[in-house]
PDB file of all heavy atoms in Angstrom:
ATOM      1  N   ALA A 286       0.826  -1.201   0.000  1.00  0.00           N
ATOM      2  CA  ALA A 286       0.000   0.000   0.000  1.00  0.00           C
ATOM      3  C   ALA A 286       0.868   1.263   0.000  1.00  0.00           C
ATOM      4  O   ALA A 286       0.391   2.337  -0.345  1.00  0.00           O
ATOM      5  CB  ALA A 286      -0.919   0.007   1.219  1.00  0.00           C
ATOM      6  N   ARG A 287       2.141   1.129   0.394  1.00  0.00           N
ATOM      7  CA  ARG A 287       3.066   2.269   0.372  1.00  0.00           C
ATOM      8  C   ARG A 287       4.437   1.818  -0.133  1.00  0.00           C
ATOM      9  O   ARG A 287       5.465   2.097   0.468  1.00  0.00           O
ATOM     10  CB  ARG A 287       3.155   2.905   1.755  1.00  0.00           C
ATOM     11  CG  ARG A 287       3.515   1.979   2.890  1.00  0.00           C
ATOM     12  CD  ARG A 287       3.387   2.657   4.250  1.00  0.00           C
ATOM     13  NE  ARG A 287       3.898   1.820   5.321  1.00  0.00           N
ATOM     14  CZ  ARG A 287       5.127   1.903   5.824  1.00  0.00           C
ATOM     15  NH1 ARG A 287       5.969   2.794   5.340  1.00  0.00           N
ATOM     16  NH2 ARG A 287       5.513   1.124   6.801  1.00  0.00           N
ATOM     17  N   LEU A 288       4.421   1.147  -1.262  1.00  0.00           N
ATOM     18  CA  LEU A 288       5.617   0.487  -1.755  1.00  0.00           C
ATOM     19  C   LEU A 288       6.742   1.468  -2.069  1.00  0.00           C
ATOM     20  O   LEU A 288       7.909   1.227  -1.725  1.00  0.00           O
ATOM     21  CB  LEU A 288       5.286  -0.352  -2.992  1.00  0.00           C
ATOM     22  CG  LEU A 288       6.435  -1.189  -3.570  1.00  0.00           C
ATOM     23  CD1 LEU A 288       7.006  -2.123  -2.501  1.00  0.00           C
ATOM     24  CD2 LEU A 288       5.952  -1.989  -4.776  1.00  0.00           C
ATOM     25  N   GLY A 289       6.415   2.575  -2.706  1.00  0.00           N
ATOM     26  CA  GLY A 289       7.455   3.544  -3.033  1.00  0.00           C
ATOM     27  C   GLY A 289       8.156   4.056  -1.785  1.00  0.00           C
ATOM     28  O   GLY A 289       9.385   4.170  -1.750  1.00  0.00           O
ATOM     29  N   GLU A 290       7.396   4.339  -0.756  1.00  0.00           N
ATOM     30  CA  GLU A 290       7.973   4.803   0.502  1.00  0.00           C
ATOM     31  C   GLU A 290       8.817   3.713   1.153  1.00  0.00           C
ATOM     32  O   GLU A 290       9.891   3.990   1.708  1.00  0.00           O
ATOM     33  CB  GLU A 290       6.854   5.227   1.454  1.00  0.00           C
ATOM     34  CG  GLU A 290       7.334   5.769   2.783  1.00  0.00           C
ATOM     35  CD  GLU A 290       6.185   6.139   3.708  1.00  0.00           C
ATOM     36  OE1 GLU A 290       5.041   6.263   3.215  1.00  0.00           O
ATOM     37  OE2 GLU A 290       6.430   6.289   4.920  1.00  0.00           O
ATOM     38  N   GLU A 291       8.355   2.483   1.081  1.00  0.00           N
ATOM     39  CA  GLU A 291       9.110   1.365   1.650  1.00  0.00           C
ATOM     40  C   GLU A 291      10.478   1.240   0.973  1.00  0.00           C
ATOM     41  O   GLU A 291      11.503   1.043   1.635  1.00  0.00           O
ATOM     42  CB  GLU A 291       8.321   0.066   1.481  1.00  0.00           C
ATOM     43  CG  GLU A 291       7.062  -0.043   2.337  1.00  0.00           C
ATOM     44  CD  GLU A 291       7.351  -0.639   3.694  1.00  0.00           C
ATOM     45  OE1 GLU A 291       7.926   0.089   4.540  1.00  0.00           O
ATOM     46  OE2 GLU A 291       7.000  -1.816   3.910  1.00  0.00           O
ATOM     47  N   VAL A 292      10.493   1.343  -0.343  1.00  0.00           N
ATOM     48  CA  VAL A 292      11.751   1.270  -1.089  1.00  0.00           C
ATOM     49  C   VAL A 292      12.682   2.401  -0.666  1.00  0.00           C
ATOM     50  O   VAL A 292      13.882   2.194  -0.401  1.00  0.00           O
ATOM     51  CB  VAL A 292      11.481   1.307  -2.604  1.00  0.00           C
ATOM     52  CG1 VAL A 292      12.774   1.545  -3.384  1.00  0.00           C
ATOM     53  CG2 VAL A 292      10.818   0.007  -3.057  1.00  0.00           C
ATOM     54  N   GLU A 293      12.156   3.598  -0.573  1.00  0.00           N
ATOM     55  CA  GLU A 293      12.986   4.737  -0.188  1.00  0.00           C
ATOM     56  C   GLU A 293      13.564   4.557   1.209  1.00  0.00           C
ATOM     57  O   GLU A 293      14.725   4.886   1.469  1.00  0.00           O
ATOM     58  CB  GLU A 293      12.164   6.023  -0.264  1.00  0.00           C
ATOM     59  CG  GLU A 293      11.834   6.427  -1.691  1.00  0.00           C
ATOM     60  CD  GLU A 293      10.868   7.592  -1.768  1.00  0.00           C
ATOM     61  OE1 GLU A 293      10.282   7.951  -0.712  1.00  0.00           O
ATOM     62  OE2 GLU A 293      10.692   8.140  -2.869  1.00  0.00           O
ATOM     63  N   ARG A 294      12.780   3.991   2.110  1.00  0.00           N
ATOM     64  CA  ARG A 294      13.239   3.868   3.493  1.00  0.00           C
ATOM     65  C   ARG A 294      14.317   2.800   3.665  1.00  0.00           C
ATOM     66  O   ARG A 294      15.233   2.981   4.467  1.00  0.00           O
ATOM     67  CB  ARG A 294      12.048   3.593   4.411  1.00  0.00           C
ATOM     68  CG  ARG A 294      11.177   4.833   4.608  1.00  0.00           C
ATOM     69  CD  ARG A 294      10.119   4.657   5.665  1.00  0.00           C
ATOM     70  NE  ARG A 294       9.531   5.937   6.013  1.00  0.00           N
ATOM     71  CZ  ARG A 294       8.619   6.111   6.974  1.00  0.00           C
ATOM     72  NH1 ARG A 294       8.199   5.064   7.681  1.00  0.00           N
ATOM     73  NH2 ARG A 294       8.146   7.316   7.236  1.00  0.00           N
ATOM     74  N   VAL A 295      14.232   1.698   2.942  1.00  0.00           N
ATOM     75  CA  VAL A 295      15.304   0.701   3.080  1.00  0.00           C
ATOM     76  C   VAL A 295      16.598   1.210   2.460  1.00  0.00           C
ATOM     77  O   VAL A 295      17.695   0.910   2.954  1.00  0.00           O
ATOM     78  CB  VAL A 295      14.916  -0.684   2.495  1.00  0.00           C
ATOM     79  CG1 VAL A 295      13.847  -1.344   3.346  1.00  0.00           C
ATOM     80  CG2 VAL A 295      14.514  -0.602   1.038  1.00  0.00           C
ATOM     81  N   VAL A 296      16.487   1.997   1.392  1.00  0.00           N
ATOM     82  CA  VAL A 296      17.689   2.572   0.792  1.00  0.00           C
ATOM     83  C   VAL A 296      18.281   3.630   1.718  1.00  0.00           C
ATOM     84  O   VAL A 296      19.503   3.692   1.919  1.00  0.00           O
ATOM     85  CB  VAL A 296      17.378   3.144  -0.605  1.00  0.00           C
ATOM     86  CG1 VAL A 296      18.594   3.876  -1.169  1.00  0.00           C
ATOM     87  CG2 VAL A 296      16.951   2.027  -1.551  1.00  0.00           C
ATOM     88  N   GLU A 297      17.430   4.450   2.326  1.00  0.00           N
ATOM     89  CA  GLU A 297      17.908   5.434   3.303  1.00  0.00           C
ATOM     90  C   GLU A 297      18.605   4.752   4.475  1.00  0.00           C
ATOM     91  O   GLU A 297      19.553   5.301   5.057  1.00  0.00           O
ATOM     92  CB  GLU A 297      16.729   6.265   3.824  1.00  0.00           C
ATOM     93  CG  GLU A 297      16.174   7.256   2.817  1.00  0.00           C
ATOM     94  CD  GLU A 297      14.854   7.864   3.275  1.00  0.00           C
ATOM     95  OE1 GLU A 297      14.390   7.510   4.388  1.00  0.00           O
ATOM     96  OE2 GLU A 297      14.292   8.687   2.529  1.00  0.00           O
ATOM     97  N   ALA A 298      18.159   3.545   4.821  1.00  0.00           N
ATOM     98  CA  ALA A 298      18.747   2.810   5.937  1.00  0.00           C
ATOM     99  C   ALA A 298      20.107   2.215   5.596  1.00  0.00           C
ATOM    100  O   ALA A 298      20.806   1.727   6.485  1.00  0.00           O
ATOM    101  CB  ALA A 298      17.800   1.700   6.389  1.00  0.00           C
ATOM    102  N   GLY A 299      20.471   2.222   4.317  1.00  0.00           N
ATOM    103  CA  GLY A 299      21.792   1.737   3.938  1.00  0.00           C
ATOM    104  C   GLY A 299      21.803   0.515   3.042  1.00  0.00           C
ATOM    105  O   GLY A 299      22.866  -0.084   2.840  1.00  0.00           O
ATOM    106  N   CYS A 300      20.679   0.139   2.469  1.00  0.00           N
ATOM    107  CA  CYS A 300      20.638  -0.995   1.534  1.00  0.00           C
ATOM    108  C   CYS A 300      20.947  -0.496   0.126  1.00  0.00           C
ATOM    109  O   CYS A 300      20.429   0.533  -0.300  1.00  0.00           O
ATOM    110  CB  CYS A 300      19.264  -1.667   1.569  1.00  0.00           C
ATOM    111  SG  CYS A 300      18.841  -2.385   3.175  1.00  0.00           S
ATOM    112  N   GLU A 301      21.776  -1.259  -0.585  1.00  0.00           N
ATOM    113  CA  GLU A 301      22.221  -0.832  -1.910  1.00  0.00           C
ATOM    114  C   GLU A 301      21.411  -1.427  -3.048  1.00  0.00           C
ATOM    115  O   GLU A 301      21.494  -0.954  -4.181  1.00  0.00           O
ATOM    116  CB  GLU A 301      23.692  -1.230  -2.129  1.00  0.00           C
ATOM    117  CG  GLU A 301      24.654  -0.664  -1.120  1.00  0.00           C
ATOM    118  CD  GLU A 301      24.849  -1.556   0.098  1.00  0.00           C
ATOM    119  OE1 GLU A 301      24.044  -2.511   0.268  1.00  0.00           O
ATOM    120  OE2 GLU A 301      25.782  -1.308   0.867  1.00  0.00           O
ATOM    121  N   VAL A 302      20.668  -2.500  -2.774  1.00  0.00           N
ATOM    122  CA  VAL A 302      19.970  -3.256  -3.819  1.00  0.00           C
ATOM    123  C   VAL A 302      18.512  -3.427  -3.410  1.00  0.00           C
ATOM    124  O   VAL A 302      18.209  -3.659  -2.233  1.00  0.00           O
ATOM    125  CB  VAL A 302      20.623  -4.651  -4.004  1.00  0.00           C
ATOM    126  CG1 VAL A 302      19.897  -5.454  -5.077  1.00  0.00           C
ATOM    127  CG2 VAL A 302      22.103  -4.511  -4.342  1.00  0.00           C
ATOM    128  N   VAL A 303      17.606  -3.301  -4.376  1.00  0.00           N
ATOM    129  CA  VAL A 303      16.189  -3.603  -4.154  1.00  0.00           C
ATOM    130  C   VAL A 303      15.873  -4.874  -4.930  1.00  0.00           C
ATOM    131  O   VAL A 303      16.034  -4.922  -6.158  1.00  0.00           O
ATOM    132  CB  VAL A 303      15.288  -2.440  -4.621  1.00  0.00           C
ATOM    133  CG1 VAL A 303      13.816  -2.815  -4.479  1.00  0.00           C
ATOM    134  CG2 VAL A 303      15.599  -1.171  -3.825  1.00  0.00           C
ATOM    135  N   HIS A 304      15.445  -5.915  -4.214  1.00  0.00           N
ATOM    136  CA  HIS A 304      15.218  -7.227  -4.809  1.00  0.00           C
ATOM    137  C   HIS A 304      13.739  -7.384  -5.142  1.00  0.00           C
ATOM    138  O   HIS A 304      12.870  -7.194  -4.280  1.00  0.00           O
ATOM    139  CB  HIS A 304      15.652  -8.313  -3.816  1.00  0.00           C
ATOM    140  CG  HIS A 304      15.683  -9.689  -4.392  1.00  0.00           C
ATOM    141  ND1 HIS A 304      16.728 -10.150  -5.172  1.00  0.00           N
ATOM    142  CD2 HIS A 304      14.797 -10.716  -4.306  1.00  0.00           C
ATOM    143  CE1 HIS A 304      16.484 -11.399  -5.534  1.00  0.00           C
ATOM    144  NE2 HIS A 304      15.334 -11.762  -5.023  1.00  0.00           N
ATOM    145  N   VAL A 305      13.457  -7.737  -6.392  1.00  0.00           N
ATOM    146  CA  VAL A 305      12.079  -7.842  -6.891  1.00  0.00           C
ATOM    147  C   VAL A 305      11.811  -9.295  -7.260  1.00  0.00           C
ATOM    148  O   VAL A 305      12.359  -9.815  -8.231  1.00  0.00           O
ATOM    149  CB  VAL A 305      11.873  -6.919  -8.115  1.00  0.00           C
ATOM    150  CG1 VAL A 305      10.449  -7.060  -8.640  1.00  0.00           C
ATOM    151  CG2 VAL A 305      12.172  -5.466  -7.748  1.00  0.00           C
ATOM    152  N   ASP A 306      10.964  -9.962  -6.474  1.00  0.00           N
ATOM    153  CA  ASP A 306      10.626 -11.367  -6.705  1.00  0.00           C
ATOM    154  C   ASP A 306       9.405 -11.469  -7.611  1.00  0.00           C
ATOM    155  O   ASP A 306       8.311 -11.034  -7.246  1.00  0.00           O
ATOM    156  CB  ASP A 306      10.327 -12.062  -5.371  1.00  0.00           C
ATOM    157  CG  ASP A 306      11.597 -12.345  -4.578  1.00  0.00           C
ATOM    158  OD1 ASP A 306      12.531 -12.917  -5.153  1.00  0.00           O
ATOM    159  OD2 ASP A 306      11.654 -11.982  -3.388  1.00  0.00           O
ATOM    160  N   VAL A 307       9.598 -12.065  -8.774  1.00  0.00           N
ATOM    161  CA  VAL A 307       8.532 -12.198  -9.772  1.00  0.00           C
ATOM    162  C   VAL A 307       8.125 -13.665  -9.845  1.00  0.00           C
ATOM    163  O   VAL A 307       8.924 -14.529 -10.238  1.00  0.00           O
ATOM    164  CB  VAL A 307       9.014 -11.702 -11.152  1.00  0.00           C
ATOM    165  CG1 VAL A 307       7.889 -11.823 -12.178  1.00  0.00           C
ATOM    166  CG2 VAL A 307       9.510 -10.260 -11.054  1.00  0.00           C
ATOM    167  N   MET A 308       6.890 -13.964  -9.448  1.00  0.00           N
ATOM    168  CA  MET A 308       6.381 -15.338  -9.413  1.00  0.00           C
ATOM    169  C   MET A 308       5.119 -15.442 -10.256  1.00  0.00           C
ATOM    170  O   MET A 308       4.309 -14.509 -10.298  1.00  0.00           O
ATOM    171  CB  MET A 308       6.086 -15.753  -7.973  1.00  0.00           C
ATOM    172  CG  MET A 308       7.259 -15.562  -7.031  1.00  0.00           C
ATOM    173  SD  MET A 308       6.861 -16.114  -5.359  1.00  0.00           S
ATOM    174  CE  MET A 308       8.291 -15.503  -4.457  1.00  0.00           C
ATOM    175  N   ASP A 309       4.944 -16.595 -10.910  1.00  0.00           N
ATOM    176  CA  ASP A 309       3.899 -16.702 -11.924  1.00  0.00           C
ATOM    177  C   ASP A 309       2.783 -17.697 -11.615  1.00  0.00           C
ATOM    178  O   ASP A 309       1.928 -17.947 -12.465  1.00  0.00           O
ATOM    179  CB  ASP A 309       4.539 -17.077 -13.267  1.00  0.00           C
ATOM    180  CG  ASP A 309       5.198 -18.457 -13.247  1.00  0.00           C
ATOM    181  OD1 ASP A 309       5.245 -19.096 -12.173  1.00  0.00           O
ATOM    182  OD2 ASP A 309       5.662 -18.899 -14.314  1.00  0.00           O
ATOM    183  N   ASN A 310       2.802 -18.305 -10.421  1.00  0.00           N
ATOM    184  CA  ASN A 310       1.819 -19.345 -10.086  1.00  0.00           C
ATOM    185  C   ASN A 310       1.873 -20.506 -11.076  1.00  0.00           C
ATOM    186  O   ASN A 310       0.886 -21.208 -11.299  1.00  0.00           O
ATOM    187  CB  ASN A 310       0.397 -18.772 -10.008  1.00  0.00           C
ATOM    188  CG  ASN A 310      -0.557 -19.718  -9.288  1.00  0.00           C
ATOM    189  OD1 ASN A 310      -0.160 -20.423  -8.368  1.00  0.00           O
ATOM    190  ND2 ASN A 310      -1.808 -19.741  -9.712  1.00  0.00           N
ATOM    191  N   HIS A 311       3.044 -20.721 -11.647  1.00  0.00           N
ATOM    192  CA  HIS A 311       3.237 -21.805 -12.603  1.00  0.00           C
ATOM    193  C   HIS A 311       4.570 -22.505 -12.302  1.00  0.00           C
ATOM    194  O   HIS A 311       4.577 -23.657 -11.887  1.00  0.00           O
ATOM    195  CB  HIS A 311       3.223 -21.253 -14.040  1.00  0.00           C
ATOM    196  CG  HIS A 311       3.425 -22.290 -15.099  1.00  0.00           C
ATOM    197  ND1 HIS A 311       2.555 -23.336 -15.302  1.00  0.00           N
ATOM    198  CD2 HIS A 311       4.407 -22.424 -16.038  1.00  0.00           C
ATOM    199  CE1 HIS A 311       3.011 -24.082 -16.301  1.00  0.00           C
ATOM    200  NE2 HIS A 311       4.124 -23.557 -16.766  1.00  0.00           N
ATOM    201  N   TYR A 312       5.654 -21.761 -12.441  1.00  0.00           N
ATOM    202  CA  TYR A 312       6.945 -22.323 -12.033  1.00  0.00           C
ATOM    203  C   TYR A 312       7.026 -22.458 -10.515  1.00  0.00           C
ATOM    204  O   TYR A 312       7.626 -23.399  -9.990  1.00  0.00           O
ATOM    205  CB  TYR A 312       8.080 -21.439 -12.553  1.00  0.00           C
ATOM    206  CG  TYR A 312       9.448 -21.921 -12.124  1.00  0.00           C
ATOM    207  CD1 TYR A 312       9.971 -23.125 -12.615  1.00  0.00           C
ATOM    208  CD2 TYR A 312      10.210 -21.198 -11.213  1.00  0.00           C
ATOM    209  CE1 TYR A 312      11.204 -23.582 -12.203  1.00  0.00           C
ATOM    210  CE2 TYR A 312      11.453 -21.655 -10.796  1.00  0.00           C
ATOM    211  CZ  TYR A 312      11.940 -22.848 -11.296  1.00  0.00           C
ATOM    212  OH  TYR A 312      13.167 -23.305 -10.883  1.00  0.00           O
ATOM    213  N   VAL A 313       6.451 -21.493  -9.812  1.00  0.00           N
ATOM    214  CA  VAL A 313       6.343 -21.553  -8.348  1.00  0.00           C
ATOM    215  C   VAL A 313       4.885 -21.321  -7.945  1.00  0.00           C
ATOM    216  O   VAL A 313       4.123 -20.698  -8.686  1.00  0.00           O
ATOM    217  CB  VAL A 313       7.249 -20.508  -7.662  1.00  0.00           C
ATOM    218  CG1 VAL A 313       8.704 -20.837  -7.893  1.00  0.00           C
ATOM    219  CG2 VAL A 313       6.937 -19.109  -8.147  1.00  0.00           C
ATOM    220  N   PRO A 314       4.490 -21.810  -6.756  1.00  0.00           N
ATOM    221  CA  PRO A 314       3.077 -21.725  -6.358  1.00  0.00           C
ATOM    222  C   PRO A 314       2.720 -20.395  -5.710  1.00  0.00           C
ATOM    223  O   PRO A 314       2.280 -20.328  -4.561  1.00  0.00           O
ATOM    224  CB  PRO A 314       2.944 -22.878  -5.355  1.00  0.00           C
ATOM    225  CG  PRO A 314       4.289 -22.975  -4.727  1.00  0.00           C
ATOM    226  CD  PRO A 314       5.263 -22.638  -5.818  1.00  0.00           C
ATOM    227  N   ASN A 315       2.925 -19.314  -6.430  1.00  0.00           N
ATOM    228  CA  ASN A 315       2.544 -18.010  -5.924  1.00  0.00           C
ATOM    229  C   ASN A 315       2.482 -17.056  -7.102  1.00  0.00           C
ATOM    230  O   ASN A 315       3.071 -17.324  -8.159  1.00  0.00           O
ATOM    231  CB  ASN A 315       3.568 -17.508  -4.883  1.00  0.00           C
ATOM    232  CG  ASN A 315       3.005 -16.408  -3.988  1.00  0.00           C
ATOM    233  OD1 ASN A 315       1.885 -15.956  -4.171  1.00  0.00           O
ATOM    234  ND2 ASN A 315       3.800 -15.984  -3.014  1.00  0.00           N
ATOM    235  N   LEU A 316       1.758 -15.966  -6.941  1.00  0.00           N
ATOM    236  CA  LEU A 316       1.601 -14.967  -7.991  1.00  0.00           C
ATOM    237  C   LEU A 316       1.915 -13.607  -7.381  1.00  0.00           C
ATOM    238  O   LEU A 316       1.294 -13.211  -6.392  1.00  0.00           O
ATOM    239  CB  LEU A 316       0.172 -14.988  -8.540  1.00  0.00           C
ATOM    240  CG  LEU A 316      -0.153 -14.057  -9.711  1.00  0.00           C
ATOM    241  CD1 LEU A 316       0.651 -14.457 -10.947  1.00  0.00           C
ATOM    242  CD2 LEU A 316      -1.647 -14.103 -10.009  1.00  0.00           C
ATOM    243  N   THR A 317       2.914 -12.911  -7.952  1.00  0.00           N
ATOM    244  CA  THR A 317       3.315 -11.658  -7.321  1.00  0.00           C
ATOM    245  C   THR A 317       3.146 -10.471  -8.259  1.00  0.00           C
ATOM    246  O   THR A 317       2.030 -10.008  -8.460  1.00  0.00           O
ATOM    247  CB  THR A 317       4.756 -11.760  -6.780  1.00  0.00           C
ATOM    248  OG1 THR A 317       5.646 -12.089  -7.862  1.00  0.00           O
ATOM    249  CG2 THR A 317       4.866 -12.819  -5.694  1.00  0.00           C
ATOM    250  N   ILE A 318       4.235  -9.983  -8.853  1.00  0.00           N
ATOM    251  CA  ILE A 318       4.183  -8.700  -9.550  1.00  0.00           C
ATOM    252  C   ILE A 318       4.767  -8.807 -10.949  1.00  0.00           C
ATOM    253  O   ILE A 318       5.434  -9.770 -11.294  1.00  0.00           O
ATOM    254  CB  ILE A 318       4.938  -7.621  -8.760  1.00  0.00           C
ATOM    255  CG1 ILE A 318       6.410  -8.002  -8.613  1.00  0.00           C
ATOM    256  CG2 ILE A 318       4.303  -7.416  -7.393  1.00  0.00           C
ATOM    257  CD1 ILE A 318       7.248  -6.991  -7.882  1.00  0.00           C
ATOM    258  N   GLY A 319       4.483  -7.765 -11.744  1.00  0.00           N
ATOM    259  CA  GLY A 319       4.979  -7.725 -13.108  1.00  0.00           C
ATOM    260  C   GLY A 319       5.803  -6.485 -13.369  1.00  0.00           C
ATOM    261  O   GLY A 319       6.153  -5.734 -12.445  1.00  0.00           O
ATOM    262  N   PRO A 320       6.124  -6.222 -14.628  1.00  0.00           N
ATOM    263  CA  PRO A 320       6.999  -5.101 -14.978  1.00  0.00           C
ATOM    264  C   PRO A 320       6.471  -3.734 -14.553  1.00  0.00           C
ATOM    265  O   PRO A 320       7.266  -2.825 -14.293  1.00  0.00           O
ATOM    266  CB  PRO A 320       7.092  -5.197 -16.507  1.00  0.00           C
ATOM    267  CG  PRO A 320       6.758  -6.613 -16.834  1.00  0.00           C
ATOM    268  CD  PRO A 320       5.771  -7.043 -15.798  1.00  0.00           C
ATOM    269  N   LEU A 321       5.150  -3.560 -14.483  1.00  0.00           N
ATOM    270  CA  LEU A 321       4.613  -2.249 -14.117  1.00  0.00           C
ATOM    271  C   LEU A 321       5.032  -1.835 -12.716  1.00  0.00           C
ATOM    272  O   LEU A 321       5.259  -0.650 -12.448  1.00  0.00           O
ATOM    273  CB  LEU A 321       3.082  -2.256 -14.231  1.00  0.00           C
ATOM    274  CG  LEU A 321       2.520  -2.315 -15.650  1.00  0.00           C
ATOM    275  CD1 LEU A 321       0.994  -2.376 -15.615  1.00  0.00           C
ATOM    276  CD2 LEU A 321       2.986  -1.117 -16.474  1.00  0.00           C
ATOM    277  N   VAL A 322       5.136  -2.796 -11.801  1.00  0.00           N
ATOM    278  CA  VAL A 322       5.575  -2.469 -10.442  1.00  0.00           C
ATOM    279  C   VAL A 322       7.048  -2.062 -10.454  1.00  0.00           C
ATOM    280  O   VAL A 322       7.453  -1.107  -9.791  1.00  0.00           O
ATOM    281  CB  VAL A 322       5.330  -3.656  -9.488  1.00  0.00           C
ATOM    282  CG1 VAL A 322       5.930  -3.378  -8.114  1.00  0.00           C
ATOM    283  CG2 VAL A 322       3.836  -3.925  -9.363  1.00  0.00           C
ATOM    284  N   CYS A 323       7.845  -2.779 -11.213  1.00  0.00           N
ATOM    285  CA  CYS A 323       9.254  -2.419 -11.355  1.00  0.00           C
ATOM    286  C   CYS A 323       9.389  -1.007 -11.917  1.00  0.00           C
ATOM    287  O   CYS A 323      10.181  -0.191 -11.424  1.00  0.00           O
ATOM    288  CB  CYS A 323       9.951  -3.432 -12.251  1.00  0.00           C
ATOM    289  SG  CYS A 323      11.726  -3.158 -12.477  1.00  0.00           S
ATOM    290  N   ALA A 324       8.608  -0.695 -12.931  1.00  0.00           N
ATOM    291  CA  ALA A 324       8.644   0.635 -13.543  1.00  0.00           C
ATOM    292  C   ALA A 324       8.188   1.711 -12.559  1.00  0.00           C
ATOM    293  O   ALA A 324       8.688   2.842 -12.590  1.00  0.00           O
ATOM    294  CB  ALA A 324       7.768   0.663 -14.791  1.00  0.00           C
TER     295      ALA A 324
END
């Protein structure tokens, strides 16, 4: 619900990388996000 702020806060805390897990409910049993969220 506040993803942009969450990303900013972990980077402000000293994290250098933002990890984006993309799952398709096919290769793995879960469905997450697509390119629009990354963009």
Side-chain angles (χ1 to χ4, degrees):
R287 54 188 187 96
L288 184 56
E290 182 182 344
E291 290 271 75
V292 167
E293 290 172 349
R294 287 189 167 184
V295 291
V296 174
E297 288 169 1
C300 297
E301 302 90 347
V302 179
V303 176
H304 190 80
V305 179
D306 285 310
V307 181
M308 306 182 190
D309 64 355
N310 196 33
H311 180 62
Y312 178 68
V313 293
N315 199 356
L316 184 64
T317 58
I318 61 179
L321 289 178
V322 174
C323 182

